[in-house]
Amino acid sequence: MLYRLADAIPTIWLVLTLVFIAMRILPGDPAIAALGDGALPEQLAEFREKMGLNVPIWQQYFNFLIGTLTLDFGKSYMNGAPVLDLIARNLPYTIQLTVAAMILGTVIGIPFGVLAAVKRGKLPDSGMRIFSLVGYAVPDFYLGALFLIGFALNLRWFPINGAGSGFFDILHHLFLPALTLALVKAAFIGRLTRTSVLEVLGKDYVRTARAKGARENRVIYRHALRNALLPLATGMGLSLLATLSGSVAVELVFNRPGIGRLLIQSITERDYGVIQGGVVVFALMVVFVNLMMDLLYVVIDPRIRVK
Amino acid sequence: MTIAPSLSRQQPVSSTHPGPLLKVEDLSIEFGPEGTAVRVVEGVSFSIDAGAAVGIVGESGSGKSMTSLAVMGLIPSPPGRIATGRILFEGVDLLGLPRSRMPEIRGRDIAMIFQEPMSSLNPVMTIGDQIGEAIKLHEKMGREERRQRIIELLKLVGIPDPERRLGAYPHQFSGGMRQRVMIAMAVACNPKLLIADEPTTALDVTIQAQVLELMHKIRRTLNTTILLISHDLGVIADICERVIVMYAGKVVEDADVKTIFRSPKHPYTRGLLQSIPRLKDENTRLYQIPGMVPLPGTIKQGCPFFPRCPDRIDKCARETPPLLEITSQQKAACWVSAGATS
């Protein structure tokens, strides 16, 4: 496990470097972006000095790496707040959204996939196919906008923006954005489940389970599904990462606080510190998710368990 | 070997039913969409008395496995379908039972062991759980009592250190050991009929002998009726007293084992016997039946063995021979053996 963690370090370093380079290549001057076109040269110089932008580029890179190691991403160029605070304030919302979408997507996707596999070629299977086609084809920001207009603006069942406070209020605010991401995810998971369950249903041990006298439900849920989860776990990991990036668009559409919206905002403002910090957090989350997936395999599949 | 009382059946086997334990009548199995379906088993009839051990021998594609799956009600459907026939178990037609009744019978009255021990066990369940499930599905029993039963079963099939091994997963066992686990699972509820479909084919020769010895032991200790499916007459001769020879979906000979080895009446059976390697004539080439098994559905009339038969006469091309009684102990589907000359 430690080895796996050590394995992630080069990945993170690469991401950091790419982000650093990308930010410096992009046109636009953070000092002008922060202070406006009318700022005096002295003000610009003072700003650059304060933010560490006046030193040679390799030294900026070095400072950035050291800063990341000590979890110090500097201050926002725009409002002077420490980047870490900004991230800490926004991160929980993104996690809420991602986790909710993941749970909802799985809860919708897996039973649908199983149903489609068991009723292969019949109505539920065709329904699943149409659903997943739509789910693949419709972009999440578009779906989100439709939901927003339909259920929040017109029907007024759900709030239009924000994240709410208090448990039920949070859930109320969370539902539509989470559903948006979840439907896309359910299409993917459902399709994957169907394929996986179909394959497993043809296995010899499924026949053995029937030969024991297990009824169909037991055969499917106790014997087939658990084995079908093995390939599914990989797909779910990938899909969780897709949801993370999907949350960027959905946070914008629903005007929800979160890392995604923070990132978009700081990119338009050339707020290097926040962008770098945000990307590092995303990279860490990706690494963390991959790690969790590896752990999940061990839980599901006894063959991987180390003695 | 003493067997704990819980493993032996409370009442004697088939106390109420007078006839044979299993009687298959005119069984035909089709595959494919209706209209263009292909018959892989056609007009198969045989019966097995309680306590007997009967073998079905035949090449791949002869329909022997399909016949046994039909008895279990496990023909994959679609595309498979039972077109005609009755399968009477203790006098009750299994094909006439509602679908929901079959799971009660599977595993409790009729159990089955499969060919591939490597893939027939669920890789994510411990073997204790898998054997326990077979018990749980059919018998009410406390957790501890069930555990004891699982341990007894593992002892019966010769798995060392059962208390510890019941928590192990299939991948931690060798092929032979897995087949023992499969057997333990199959006999967990002390079935009246045990169907073993090529139980030793996937195993190497020394392990084969051990598994066959175990089958003998199961028969002795549990008094189980056995239907053994194999392509290997030697394996069948080891376990069974009677053998049914299948070819191209039909029964071509049905006789007791000694008679078949001494005087086979169907030319196909003779071919099978001649193709068993023998130690004494090591210099001669091993006999091979010329030609190939016909694809299902390609034989329209006449004897299915006609194209490969060394003894064929004109009648064989025209009329399909039914299973004819040659002696009271032996039936064969062959015009020539029944005395026809032209």
Side-chain angles (χ1 to χ4, degrees):
Chain A
M1 200 76 318
L2 273 175
Y3 173 78
R4 296 278 324 173
L5 268 173
D7 221 24
I9 291 173
T11 315
I12 295 180
W13 172 76
L14 200 68
V15 171
L16 290 177
T17 308
L18 284 178
V19 169
F20 183 84
I21 295 171
M23 289 323 298
R24 297 316 190 267
I25 288 175
L26 280 182
D29 182 330
I32 294 173
L35 302 179
D37 286 340
L40 301 169
E42 305 86 70
Q43 286 174 315
L44 290 176
E46 188 195 359
F47 180 83
R48 288 194 182 107
E49 167 135 21
K50 198 170 80 187
M51 293 299 168
L53 290 166
N54 56 344
V55 295
I57 195 126
W58 59 268
Q59 206 174 332
Q60 286 183 35
Y61 176 65
F62 197 66
N63 288 342
F64 165 55
L65 285 188
I66 297 284
T68 306
L69 277 181
T70 55
L71 283 180
D72 174 14
F73 299 104
K75 291 187 166 107
S76 163
Y77 300 162
M78 301 313 286
N79 55 18
V83 170
L84 207 59
D85 283 2
L86 280 175
I87 289 172
R89 210 179 308 142
N90 283 285
L91 188 60
Y93 296 110
T94 301
I95 292 178
Q96 270 174 18
L97 180 62
T98 312
V99 170
M102 194 71 202
I103 293 172
L104 214 55
T106 312
V107 166
I108 300 171
I110 288 186
F112 264 106
V114 171
L115 192 70
V118 174
K119 304 271 179 206
R120 185 186 188 179
K122 305 216 175 88
L123 193 67
D125 193 16
S126 318
M128 179 74 219
R129 186 164 321 161
I130 293 169
F131 172 64
S132 57
L133 260 179
V134 172
Y136 276 138
V138 178
D140 39 24
F141 59 85
Y142 181 70
L143 193 64
L146 284 185
F147 281 166
L148 193 65
I149 293 168
F151 296 114
L153 273 177
N154 291 341
L155 291 171
R156 296 184 179 277
W157 289 351
F158 294 97
I160 290 170
N161 64 12
S165 58
F167 185 70
F168 289 104
D169 196 34
I170 287 177
L171 284 188
H172 195 205
H173 279 81
L174 196 56
F175 186 76
L176 276 188
L179 187 68
T180 307
L181 286 173
L183 284 182
V184 177
K185 177 177 294 298
F188 177 74
I189 291 180
R191 202 81 195 136
L192 213 60
T193 307
R194 177 187 179 273
T195 318
S196 196
V197 167
L198 267 183
E199 194 196 315
V200 168
L201 279 177
K203 296 274 191 197
D204 289 333
Y205 52 79
V206 167
R207 188 180 57 185
T208 305
R210 292 200 177 109
K212 272 193 241 189
R215 290 178 188 278
E216 253 348 79
N217 271 338
R218 193 181 177 87
V219 169
I220 291 162
Y221 288 100
R222 254 189 88 85
H223 290 272
L225 190 57
R226 178 128 182 244
N227 280 287
L229 281 180
L230 299 175
L232 206 57
T234 318
M236 301 251 278
L238 292 175
S239 137
L240 179 55
L241 300 181
T243 307
L244 266 179
S245 49
S247 68
V248 174
V250 169
E251 277 168 7
L252 271 184
V253 171
F254 286 93
N255 202 16
R256 263 179 73 84
I259 294 286
R261 209 182 59 158
L262 181 70
L263 261 180
I264 297 289
Q265 206 180 332
S266 29
I267 288 171
T268 50
E269 290 164 350
R270 298 284 175 278
D271 201 340
Y272 288 176
V274 180
I275 300 171
Q276 286 161 354
V279 170
V280 168
V281 167
F282 260 108
L284 282 176
M285 273 159 78
V286 170
V287 169
F288 177 75
V289 166
N290 280 330
L291 215 62
M292 286 291 111
M293 284 301 138
D294 285 349
L295 280 177
L296 191 62
Y297 283 134
V298 177
V299 175
I300 302 177
D301 192 347
R303 282 165 296 189
I304 313 179
R305 247 169 254 172
V306 205
K307 278 184 211 120
Chain B
M1 171 84 196
T2 51
I3 267 303
S6 69
L7 272 179
S8 40
R9 193 166 271 279
Q10 259 68 41
Q11 69 252 48
V13 175
S14 115
S15 52
T16 48
H17 177 67
L21 180 69
L22 178 74
K23 194 167 195 301
V24 173
E25 288 176 352
D26 190 33
L27 178 72
S28 299
I29 303 167
E30 291 182 345
F31 268 75
E34 220 144 344
T36 59
V38 171
R39 289 218 162 165
V40 294
V41 169
E42 185 153 16
V44 164
S45 302
F46 61 89
S47 66
I48 302 175
D49 292 326
V54 175
I56 300 184
V57 72
E59 290 167 82
S60 356
S62 61
K64 56 191 194 310
S65 289
M66 277 305 148
T67 305
S68 61
L69 283 175
V71 175
M72 288 294 283
L74 287 177
I75 297 280
S77 165
R81 181 173 350 100
I82 292 175
T84 66
R86 297 203 299 166
I87 297 173
L88 300 162
F89 183 77
E90 295 190 308
V92 178
D93 185 7
L94 298 181
L95 300 180
L97 286 179
R99 270 179 72 97
S100 61
R101 288 288 308 282
M102 270 318 277
E104 293 166 25
I105 292 165
R106 283 199 286 262
R108 189 190 64 190
D109 297 320
I110 312 176
M112 189 159 177
I113 312 166
F114 298 98
Q115 179 173 354
E116 306 85 5
M118 304 310 275
S119 56
S120 291
L121 289 166
N122 189 334
V124 301
M125 275 171 86
T126 65
I127 58 137
D129 283 348
Q130 297 192 52
I131 298 171
E133 185 184 27
I135 302 169
K136 200 155 69 178
L137 284 167
H138 301 291
E139 282 171 42
K140 280 200 161 50
M141 199 181 274
R143 180 186 284 269
E144 188 47 40
E145 196 187 345
R146 192 163 60 231
R147 201 182 107 91
Q148 286 310 318
R149 172 81 157 266
I150 298 168
I151 292 171
E152 272 171 38
L153 284 162
L154 289 176
K155 273 188 196 150
L156 172 72
V157 298
I159 288 184
D161 199 5
E163 285 87 353
R164 205 171 53 81
R165 294 299 264 170
L166 58 79
Y169 289 91
H171 70 276
Q172 295 165 310
F173 290 82
S174 66
M177 284 292 154
R178 287 190 212 185
Q179 197 59 297
R180 287 168 191 265
V181 171
M182 283 297 293
I183 293 171
M185 193 154 66
V187 300
C189 296
N190 202 351
K192 292 169 187 159
L193 175 64
L194 178 64
I195 302 174
D197 185 1
E198 305 262 12
T200 58
T201 306
L203 306 172
D204 65 58
V205 182
T206 49
I207 309 295
Q208 274 190 17
Q210 290 172 12
V211 169
L212 289 178
E213 180 44 47
L214 176 57
M215 300 276 295
H216 275 294
K217 184 174 161 190
I218 296 288
R219 210 184 151 196
R220 274 199 316 270
T221 48
L222 305 178
N223 194 25
T224 313
T225 310
I226 291 176
L227 174 59
L228 177 68
I229 317 287
S230 181
H231 65 281
D232 186 341
L233 262 175
V235 167
I236 288 184
D238 188 54
I239 303 266
C240 307
E241 321 61 87
R242 218 178 93 221
V243 57
I244 294 161
V245 184
M246 283 187 73
Y247 181 78
K250 291 189 171 73
V251 173
V252 294
E253 186 155 3
D254 181 340
D256 65 79
V257 168
K258 286 201 186 92
T259 314
I260 270 216
F261 273 87
R262 209 174 329 118
S263 64
K265 287 293 183 242
H266 196 282
Y268 175 67
T269 317
R270 278 201 287 278
L272 273 186
L273 284 166
Q274 280 172 42
S275 50
I276 298 174
R278 281 182 178 76
L279 281 176
K280 51 183 180 188
D281 42 32
E282 54 191 277
N283 290 326
T284 50
R285 245 186 116 92
L286 195 58
Y287 178 78
Q288 194 186 344
I289 303 174
M292 302 234 297
V293 184
L295 288 172
T298 52
I299 300 270
K300 299 288 182 235
Q301 62 165 11
C303 174
F305 194 59
F306 177 80
R308 305 172 76 185
C309 184
D311 308 326
R312 62 192 169 201
I313 54 176
D314 292 346
K315 189 179 186 183
C316 305
R318 295 190 310 265
E319 288 173 54
T320 310
L323 202 56
L324 302 159
E325 199 154 300
I326 311 287
T327 68
S328 62
Q329 297 300 315
Q330 192 167 20
K331 288 181 235 168
C334 177
W335 295 122
V336 178
S337 295
T341 48
S342 61

